Amino acid sequence: MIIESKNCYPVITSNRNIMFQEKGDRFSINSHKLLRPIYLNRTSHEITEYCNGSRSISVIRDLMCNKYNEPAEKIEEDILKILYPLWKLKLVMFRGGKHPFNYHLKKQLCIDNEMYEFAVVRDTSTILDFVKSHENHYVNIHSYELDTLSKKQISVRFMYSEEIFFTLSHNNKITALVSISPQYTIHPFYDCLYYNMNNIFVIDNFLSTADKNALKFLFKWCCLWFGHEVNVLEPREFVNLYMAIDCQNRNEFIKVFNETDWKEVGLLKKEYKGEDASLLEHRIII
């Protein structure tokens, strides 16, 4: 299937710190943002040369179709595969901000005969409108109240990958929102990674059996998404999510999420405003 891309106009970032060098039959891209150079073959480099902001992806596809005897669908897929990692590294941008990679940010799945959608959310209005209209809010004591942030603060956190926001939707309505810090830590005693869960919001009538199973899958999808899209990590046997809850909200949290595999694994003495806090863990088998 050819992705609708006639309105997506890629452009190589105009930055004197980005250097293209030709080495035999391949080209290298180097930048202070990169740990090591990115190497492109001659065809890939030809595609990047077309990315000047005046040609859409569909136009670039047609130009390549005129030169190579390949189906248009395959050529467009190849173009997107080449541009996607460059876009993630901000070496390629899109005029007007409209990019063709939304399929990396959404997933639909049927759970217990109910259709759910999992999505990465970039729209700050969507985030704030949801969190300010629902009281079922659980926050990590080492984080902050999400509804106290401005649209600009949320945008900055997402832009610099300080925090990623995910939603769970059912019947085209958001039923849960979570925010997680994608900066992983390697567990000192087990061969696994762990992330800190910052906020969880759920609607009032949430958490039927299907809802709980969908929320468990959302937690897993978040960690898989981090590994592929943010940290580019090798898969491990399991990943842990951690959340520290003040004791006042501890019982309610365990009651609401008792079927989503969150477990109390420790007590943090006088960690929150001089009071104790519970350390909760959610283990995800990869």
Side-chain angles (χ1 to χ4, degrees):
M1 179 181 66
I2 296 179
I3 296 170
E4 183 61 41
S5 55
K6 62 182 180 181
N7 294 321
C8 299
Y9 294 81
V11 57
I12 294 293
T13 304
S14 178
N15 189 326
R16 64 183 180 182
N17 292 320
I18 298 176
M19 297 171 289
F20 283 86
Q21 292 182 323
E22 183 175 3
K23 294 184 177 180
D25 290 334
R26 65 178 184 172
F27 294 79
S28 67
I29 303 176
N30 215 336
S31 167
H32 68 282
K33 297 180 181 180
L34 304 176
L35 295 177
R36 60 183 65 87
I38 294 175
Y39 293 100
L40 305 174
N41 61 27
R42 191 166 294 277
T43 304
S44 300
H45 181 256
E46 184 179 357
I47 290 171
T48 63
E49 287 190 314
Y50 286 137
C51 298
N52 58 8
S54 64
R55 300 183 180 94
S56 68
I57 287 178
S58 57
V59 169
I60 296 173
R61 177 198 69 213
D62 293 341
L63 289 170
M64 298 299 288
C65 282
N66 292 333
K67 296 187 66 174
Y68 300 96
N69 186 25
E70 293 287 346
E73 180 177 353
K74 183 180 185 307
I75 287 181
E76 182 158 320
E77 288 178 355
D78 289 344
I79 291 172
L80 294 176
K81 286 179 182 178
I82 291 165
L83 294 184
Y84 183 60
L86 300 180
W87 173 71
K88 285 202 300 182
L89 293 167
K90 296 183 174 60
L91 300 178
V92 167
M93 307 299 284
F94 285 84
R95 200 180 76 192
K98 185 173 182 179
H99 63 79
F101 301 121
N102 287 327
Y103 61 96
H104 284 268
L105 308 177
K106 290 184 179 180
K107 182 179 182 65
Q108 289 187 331
L109 191 67
C110 184
I111 298 176
D112 296 340
N113 297 317
E114 297 285 342
M115 186 60 68
Y116 290 88
E117 181 177 86
F118 310 87
V120 179
V121 186
R122 297 176 182 268
D123 181 12
T124 55
S125 295
T126 298
I127 294 170
L128 289 177
D129 288 348
F130 180 78
V131 302
K132 289 182 177 180
S133 61
H134 296 90
E135 296 182 355
N136 291 350
H137 175 204
Y138 306 91
V139 60
N140 192 324
I141 62 170
H142 297 139
S143 184
Y144 54 86
E145 299 281 348
L146 182 58
D147 51 6
T148 63
L149 296 187
S150 67
K151 290 183 179 181
K152 183 176 181 180
Q153 288 172 316
I154 291 176
S155 297
V156 169
R157 293 187 67 81
F158 198 101
M159 182 182 301
Y160 292 101
S161 295
E162 294 177 13
E163 185 167 16
I164 311 294
F165 303 92
F166 299 87
T167 56
L168 171 64
S169 298
H170 183 223
N171 294 330
N172 296 318
K173 293 183 179 179
I174 298 175
T175 57
L177 181 144
V178 301
S179 66
I180 307 177
S181 297
Q183 286 74 30
Y184 66 92
T185 305
I186 297 178
H187 200 291
F189 304 113
Y190 305 101
D191 185 23
C192 76
L193 307 174
Y194 66 86
Y195 298 94
N196 283 320
M197 174 76 72
N198 293 335
N199 289 266
I200 303 178
F201 284 83
V202 294
I203 61 173
D204 297 338
N205 59 349
F206 185 72
L207 294 182
S208 65
T209 300
D211 289 335
K212 290 181 179 181
N213 288 335
L215 189 61
K216 286 164 62 176
F217 184 83
L218 176 65
F219 294 146
K220 182 173 184 176
W221 186 65
C222 292
C223 293
L224 292 173
W225 192 89
F226 286 150
H228 184 261
E229 306 293 336
V230 180
N231 298 315
V232 196
L233 299 170
E234 292 296 326
R236 293 174 180 243
E237 184 178 350
F238 56 87
V239 176
N240 289 337
L241 289 173
Y242 282 106
M243 192 165 187
I245 295 286
D246 64 277
C247 287
Q248 183 178 354
N249 292 314
R250 174 246 183 219
N251 292 338
E252 182 184 359
F253 182 94
I254 291 176
K255 179 181 177 181
V256 171
F257 298 99
N258 66 334
E259 295 179 23
T260 59
D261 298 335
W262 281 92
K263 297 179 181 179
E264 189 172 27
V265 295
L267 186 67
L268 305 176
K269 289 289 188 179
K270 297 183 179 181
E271 186 77 10
Y272 181 69
K273 298 180 179 179
E275 300 292 334
D276 295 344
S278 292
L279 181 63
L280 297 140
E281 175 188 274
H282 177 75
R283 175 161 293 185
I284 297 165
I285 306 300
I286 301 300

